[in-house]
Amino acid sequence: MEATITAAEQAARDELSAYTLLRGDADFIHQHVVDAFAAQHVTAQSKPIGVAFALIGLYLHLERGYSGRKVQEAHTRLARMQKQWPAFVPPANAGELTGVDVMRSPPGAARDQAIEAWCQSVWSAWHDSHA
């Protein structure tokens, strides 16, 4: 269950966080980066609420078309409702794409599309937990 975070992945996450937060976009694409990274790097120390929220965020975005802002609002509502979150067993490979792959795309539309592809890659890898 140990999804180790390499130095390159950590650096990519930091750069992506800066990139998405500095945009100040109304859709708040930063939430998708947070969810994809969290779902891709589940460890024995990961809290069930963090894993659940990452998967819920990916589901709401990819399956229901929620913006990052709407996902964030859903997380806020859910945090007030339920205190016991299920434990999820992570897949052996939590997605073919990583934040490092995303950072290879130039800023702007290409990088935003790469974030979408990363989210889809991670969500697809968790297919056994979709139900």
Side-chain angles (χ1 to χ4, degrees):
M1 177 192 260
E2 288 301 314
T4 56
I5 301 171
T6 67
E9 288 173 315
Q10 184 65 50
R13 185 188 78 163
D14 294 346
E15 289 180 55
L16 278 169
S17 290
Y19 167 75
T20 56
L21 286 171
L22 290 173
R23 291 180 53 177
D25 62 316
D27 287 339
F28 198 56
I29 194 171
H30 176 71
Q31 185 64 53
H32 308 317
V33 170
V34 170
D35 291 336
F37 190 88
Q40 194 164 51
H41 294 93
V42 173
T43 69
Q45 291 74 40
S46 297
K47 295 181 180 181
I49 190 173
V51 179
F53 275 34
L55 295 176
I56 290 167
L58 292 173
Y59 166 78
L60 290 174
H61 175 57
L62 296 167
E63 304 289 339
R64 299 290 185 201
Y66 280 39
S67 69
R69 183 71 61 210
K70 292 294 184 189
V71 168
Q72 186 182 49
E73 291 169 3
H75 285 170
T76 301
R77 287 190 307 275
L78 287 168
R80 290 187 211 124
M81 295 172 55
Q82 185 175 351
K83 299 301 178 199
Q84 185 73 17
W85 295 95
F88 291 92
V89 177
N93 177 352
E96 295 299 321
L97 298 176
T98 69
V100 173
D101 298 309
V102 173
M103 286 306 299
R104 290 187 184 117
S105 298
R111 185 167 295 164
D112 295 353
Q113 290 171 353
I115 291 169
E116 283 292 307
W118 179 30
C119 289
Q120 187 62 58
S121 173
V122 173
W123 178 239
S124 293
W126 280 86
H127 62 86
D128 288 345
S129 297
H130 286 186

